Amino acid sequence: MSRTLLLMRHASAEGWSESGDKGRRLTSEGRQEATAVGAELRELGVQHVLCSSATRTRETVDCLGLEAPVEYMDALYNCGTETMAQRITEVDDEVQVLLVVAHAPAVPSLSAELAWASAPQQADDLQCSFPTAAFTRFELDGSWADLADDESIRLAGVRRIGH
């Protein structure tokens, strides 16, 4: 059974916050970016969202306007690709379309790792340029637990909207 994985970097955020990095909020431009991306994501039928617990990712998800349950995870804030991939493999297989909203460098790095087998040139590009509010779309044949299997996943699209 085919599944769709969407990896998204949060929308444009303030460069600084009195409450620290985790408390940085979206800018007005970031809200517009997320709203624009939300229309596309709704068309893709997102059924479940994994979201970093940072303010800017939470606000991004709010602006997307999705009607899907959201799991906010401290583990996705400042995580590496292994942690992000592990959380994805734990998703229930009843979910067909999964969105993960988190941060650079984990989102671009995992996108590049997953894209490498099916689209090596694009994988390199993802490492170099993954602006805010951008997302990648992957098609996965099989279970979420099969995420690391190079032959079961392929890059199906890249959407860049932010800076």
Side-chain angles (χ1 to χ4, degrees):
M1 174 170 284
S2 182
R3 302 185 193 303
T4 301
L5 172 64
L6 304 158
L7 298 177
M8 180 180 180
R9 184 176 174 201
H10 63 79
S12 295
E14 304 168 325
W16 180 86
S17 170
E18 285 184 15
S19 56
D21 181 69
K22 197 170 183 179
R24 289 173 40 214
R25 301 181 62 89
L26 292 185
T27 61
S28 59
E29 180 182 12
R31 287 183 196 8
Q32 292 172 352
E33 291 170 354
T35 299
V37 171
E40 291 182 50
L41 294 176
R42 284 190 298 278
E43 287 181 19
L44 293 173
V46 173
Q47 295 175 305
H48 194 79
V49 181
L50 301 181
C51 181
S52 159
S53 59
T55 301
R56 62 192 176 275
T57 52
R58 295 170 77 92
E59 289 180 348
T60 297
V61 169
D62 288 345
C63 290
L64 293 175
L66 303 173
E67 293 184 17
V70 181
E71 280 185 72
Y72 297 101
M73 301 180 151
D74 287 333
L76 293 178
Y77 175 71
N78 275 342
C79 72
T81 57
E82 287 182 24
T83 298
M84 186 174 289
Q86 178 62 40
R87 293 299 174 259
I88 294 166
T89 65
E90 296 167 356
V91 171
D92 191 297
D93 279 333
E94 289 185 23
V95 174
Q96 303 281 312
V97 182
L98 174 67
L99 170 64
V100 179
V101 181
H103 311 270
V107 169
S109 294
L110 183 58
S111 293
E113 285 179 25
L114 296 176
W116 183 251
S118 64
Q121 178 63 44
Q122 285 185 289
D124 285 343
D125 292 345
L126 291 170
Q127 280 290 107
C128 296
S129 174
F130 206 107
T132 55
F135 70 87
T136 50
R137 182 171 48 109
F138 294 91
E139 297 301 325
L140 173 68
D141 295 326
S143 169
W144 293 115
D146 298 330
L147 185 67
D149 180 2
D150 287 349
E151 295 192 14
S152 71
I153 192 159
R154 65 195 167 286
L155 181 65
V158 177
R159 174 68 159 96
R160 293 181 171 99
I161 191 169
H163 302 292

